[in-house]
């Protein structure tokens, strides 16, 4: 592509992005497509000859966009949000244009040094004490994997990478059943094995780990000759916002010399508001914490921040230093690829720098406070309808509910989720609470307004009442 064409098509792409964002409210949140529709619309073989950009762009608009689920839609109430504030998109354009590999300080000094600064900005913004450093990973899954590998290596006196796990004492990791499945995957991939992920029963409204049961499990494992290695606490679990009492969990971790990792992938963004910090009181004692600015805060995916108390342990676990990656003659530099599983790294700090400067923390706090208040308001409205029940009360901006029926409640509520999503005006998802289907609702999209949440109430009630039992 010639530079003049690059300019033209970059402008066209930017214009398209603005038009797309402004048209979202008129689009169904989920596409009206069947599995295989898009696959069949794409040529089965690659072209031998170059095609004109006009045609490529037209195909993008005709074939791809109608098949997209619109995560930036203001009535996206499913899963957790993946907010990409326009200013972070602009930063990503710049990152794409530079297309740098930011694995070492010398492969991108500015990316490395901005990352160090932005991690510290976020530490301050979330009210965490000095003493944490950190890294921006691609995803919370990667951050948790890095934490689990560090737990494993620390417990095995740094012999796991070298000798493997055969013949070693069995490392044991403890969590509730409210943690995200990325924890299960980290346990599999680290070779620790699912049988060594000890699920601690939960108690109370927030389904917090029973810390007496946690302590008992650790003591029993020690007595049985196993090797307690670490604990993973949840703050804002994916299903219903399950949240551990981190301070109590941290006390147990300290008593037994265990590594503590806190997964606050979604809820962490809310900690920019001091009044929500009680939800993770004790996190300041953790060895590592992960939160995803790419969820609620508005930094375009991917952007997952991992705060780390002792980066030396992480580096000792993950760093590889072949000659071709060494930086000779420079002291005191950070090579962030030594802090993560992949070697290659994107420049992720730029979008956070743009976002935090262009919005300021106070505007971001207002957004999060609004979301929490609107979610609580909607939960109260639903609770006051005789044919609905609240299954789990709001944890920040996430709650779950069920429509009552004389028939099979699980089947009825699954049909209700489908009916709501087929209507197109909103998108939400279901979960299971104590084995029974419940409908999840979270408010978190950057552009959502109080009116969008009102619309959600109308759509939910209309769809429920027009379903036949
Ligand atoms: N932890 C929690 C609580 C989550 O909700 C999610 C994803 O929704 C993850 C971890 C995994 O996040 P990622 O997609 O960044 O790996």
């Amino acid at each position: 592509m010639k530079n003049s064409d690059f300019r033209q098509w970059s402008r066209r792409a930017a214009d398209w992005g603005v038009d797309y964002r402004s048209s979202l409210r008129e689009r169904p949140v989920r596409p009206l497509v069947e599995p295989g529709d898009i696959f069949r619309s794409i040529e089965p073989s690659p072209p031998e000859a170059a095609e004109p950009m006009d045609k490529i762009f037209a195909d993008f608009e005709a074939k791809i966009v109608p098949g997209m689920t619109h995560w930036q839609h203001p009535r996206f109430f499913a899963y957790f949000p993946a907010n990409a504030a326009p200013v972070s998109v602009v930063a990503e354009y710049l990152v794409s244009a530079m297309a740098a590999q930011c694995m070492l300080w010398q492969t991108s000094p500015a990316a490395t040094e901005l990352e160090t600064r932005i991690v510290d900005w976020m530490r301050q913004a979330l009210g965490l004490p000095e003493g944490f450093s950190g890294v921006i990973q691609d995803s919370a899954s990667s951050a948790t994997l890095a934490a689990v590998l560090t737990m494993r290596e620390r417990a095995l006196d740094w012999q796991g990478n070298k000798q493997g796990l055969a013949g070693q004492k069995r490392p044991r990791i403890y969590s509730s059943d409210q943690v995200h499945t990325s924890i299960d995957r980290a346990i599999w991939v680290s070779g620790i094995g699912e049988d060594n992920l000890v699920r601690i029963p939960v108690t109370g409204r927030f389904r917090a780990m029973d810390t007496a049961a946690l302590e008992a499990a650790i003591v029993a494992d020690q007595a049985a000759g196993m090797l307690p290695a670490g604990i993973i606490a949840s703050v804002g679990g994916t299903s219903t916002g399950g949240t551990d009492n981190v301070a109590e969990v941290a006390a147990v971790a300290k008593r037994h010399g265990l590594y503590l990792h806190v997964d606050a992938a979604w809820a962490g963004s809310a900690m920019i508001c001091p009044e929500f910090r009680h939800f993770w009181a004790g996190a300041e004692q953790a060895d590592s914490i992960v939160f995803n600015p790419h969820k609620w805060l508005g930094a375009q995916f991917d952007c997952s921040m991992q705060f780390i108390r002792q980066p030396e342990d992480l580096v000792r676990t993950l760093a590889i230093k072949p000659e071709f990656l060494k930086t000779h003659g420079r002291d005191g530099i950070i090579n962030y690829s030594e802090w993560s599983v992949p070697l290659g790294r994107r420049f992720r700090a730029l979008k956070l720098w743009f976002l935090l400067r262009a919005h300021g923390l106070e505007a971001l706090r207002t957004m999060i406070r609004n979301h929490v208040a609107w979610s609580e308001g909607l939960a109260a409205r639903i609770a006051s309808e005789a044919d609905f029940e609240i299954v789990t009360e709001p944890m920040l901006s996430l709650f779950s509910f069920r429509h009552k029926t004389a028939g099979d409640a699980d089947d009825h509520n699954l049909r209700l989720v489908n009916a709501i999503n087929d209507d197109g005006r909103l998108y939400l998802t279901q979960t299971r609470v104590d084995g029974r289907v419940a409908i999840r609702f979270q408010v978190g999209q950057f552009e959502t307004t109080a009116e969008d949440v009102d619309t959600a109430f109308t759509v939910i009630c209309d769809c429920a009442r027009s379903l036949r039992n």
Side-chain angles (χ1 to χ4, degrees):
M1 186 177 260
K2 291 196 303 249
N3 267 346
S4 55
D5 292 339
F6 183 31
R7 185 183 306 283
Q8 182 200 331
W9 285 105
S10 298
R11 286 184 171 157
R12 176 86 184 267
D15 285 345
W16 182 89
V18 176
D19 295 342
Y20 168 75
R21 289 291 180 103
S22 9
S23 71
L24 278 174
R25 245 194 202 87
E26 281 70 59
R27 295 175 189 255
V29 192
R30 239 181 28 166
L32 307 169
V33 293
E34 292 299 324
D37 282 356
I38 292 111
F39 180 77
R40 280 189 297 275
S41 76
I42 306 294
E43 290 299 319
S45 306
E48 291 294 339
E51 296 186 53
M53 267 303 285
D54 275 323
K55 183 164 182 299
I56 300 170
F57 206 94
D59 278 350
F60 160 72
E61 290 186 293
K63 299 181 178 185
I64 303 301
V65 181
M68 293 301 290
T69 297
H70 303 299
W71 282 72
Q72 306 311 315
H73 196 297
R75 288 190 302 274
F76 183 101
F77 300 114
Y79 310 101
F80 282 140
N83 285 335
V87 65
S88 83
V89 177
V90 172
E92 283 289 74
Y93 288 151
L94 305 179
V95 166
S96 296
M98 292 187 286
Q101 265 291 352
C102 307
M103 53 198 175
L104 309 172
W105 176 86
Q106 69 176 348
T107 65
S108 287
T112 301
E113 294 186 16
L114 185 66
E115 184 160 338
T116 308
R117 184 59 82 192
I118 292 301
V119 167
D120 199 60
W121 276 19
M122 280 311 322
R123 176 194 65 73
Q124 295 173 51
L126 301 185
L128 290 171
E130 283 182 14
F132 277 108
S133 46
V135 55
I136 309 181
Q137 309 273 15
D138 55 357
S139 62
S141 302
S142 292
T144 294
L145 175 59
V148 167
L149 291 169
T150 309
M151 291 177 194
R152 188 195 75 185
E153 285 306 291
R154 246 174 55 161
L156 292 174
D157 201 17
W158 314 102
Q159 292 306 305
N161 281 343
K162 190 164 175 350
Q163 298 174 7
L165 300 193
Q168 309 271 15
K169 275 185 166 183
R170 281 166 64 180
R172 304 280 274 178
I173 311 284
Y174 306 83
S175 80
S176 78
D177 62 357
Q178 298 299 304
V179 290
H180 187 260
T181 45
S182 54
I183 279 81
D184 301 57
R185 206 145 37 173
I187 300 293
W188 303 344
V189 174
S190 64
I192 291 174
E194 193 172 302
D195 290 350
N196 294 308
L197 175 58
V198 184
R199 300 290 193 181
I200 306 299
V202 293
T203 60
R205 169 176 164 193
F206 291 114
R207 294 170 182 262
M209 258 193 274
D210 174 343
T211 38
L214 170 66
E215 182 121 37
I218 294 167
V219 170
D221 282 351
Q222 280 163 340
M226 293 191 263
L227 190 59
I231 306 172
I232 299 175
S234 171
V235 176
T238 319
S239 174
T240 62
T243 295
D244 292 317
N245 183 328
V246 182
E248 280 186 14
V249 173
V252 176
K254 194 166 179 202
R255 264 198 297 285
H256 295 277
L258 302 189
Y259 186 111
L260 172 61
H261 175 65
V262 175
D263 179 1
W266 162 66
S269 295
M271 304 307 152
I272 61 172
C273 305
E275 70 272 28
F276 298 135
R277 289 185 191 150
H278 64 93
F279 281 117
W280 78 355
E284 69 285 353
Q285 298 172 57
D287 294 286
S288 57
I289 304 168
V290 62
F291 103 99
N292 284 355
H294 72 226
K295 280 187 158 57
W296 206 351
L297 205 62
Q300 168 142 356
F301 187 85
D302 50 6
C303 188
S304 181
M305 191 165 287
Q306 183 178 10
F307 295 103
I308 300 153
R309 180 171 298 285
Q310 260 178 247
E312 316 82 63
D313 286 354
L314 179 66
V315 170
R316 191 165 176 192
T317 302
L318 294 179
I320 40 167
K321 293 182 180 165
E323 183 56 37
F324 57 83
L325 291 179
K326 286 187 180 150
T327 309
H328 291 292
R330 303 272 183 183
D331 292 330
I333 54 163
I334 294 180
N335 291 323
Y336 277 120
S337 59
E338 296 175 355
W339 299 42
S340 53
V341 176
L343 171 65
R345 322 183 68 242
R346 304 182 63 245
F347 184 2
R348 300 193 182 91
L350 195 74
K351 57 195 164 197
L352 263 177
W353 192 44
F354 275 41
L355 175 80
L356 294 171
R357 294 179 65 188
H359 287 268
L361 284 171
E362 203 41 48
L364 296 171
R365 287 189 193 107
T366 301
M367 172 187 75
I368 284 178
R369 286 174 180 140
N370 281 339
H371 291 167
V372 173
W374 296 336
S375 175
E376 287 171 350
L378 181 68
R381 279 180 86 182
I382 290 180
S384 66
E385 298 292 311
D387 52 341
F388 282 94
E389 59 177 322
I390 296 298
V391 178
T392 55
E393 296 289 337
M395 153 58 188
L396 295 169
S397 65
L398 169 68
F399 68 95
S400 65
F401 65 93
R402 202 178 280 138
H403 190 233
K404 296 178 189 166
T405 171
D408 178 340
D410 283 358
D411 176 65
H412 179 76
N413 280 282
L414 286 176
R415 285 193 297 125
L416 176 54
V417 171
N418 284 338
I420 291 168
N421 292 338
D422 288 347
D423 170 272
R425 280 176 288 172
L426 26 149
Y427 182 26
L428 36 74
T429 42
Q430 76 288 339
T431 187
R432 277 186 187 269
V433 179
D434 300 328
R436 296 178 54 206
V437 170
I439 303 179
R440 283 173 88 259
F441 195 96
Q442 67 76 28
V443 187
Q445 214 290 319
F446 221 76
E447 300 293 336
T448 301
T449 61
E451 292 70 41
D452 290 313
V453 181
D454 284 346
T455 304
F457 178 75
T458 308
V459 173
I460 291 167
C461 290
D462 289 355
C463 288
R465 285 158 196 166
S466 59
L467 268 191
R468 268 181 288 123
N469 284 324

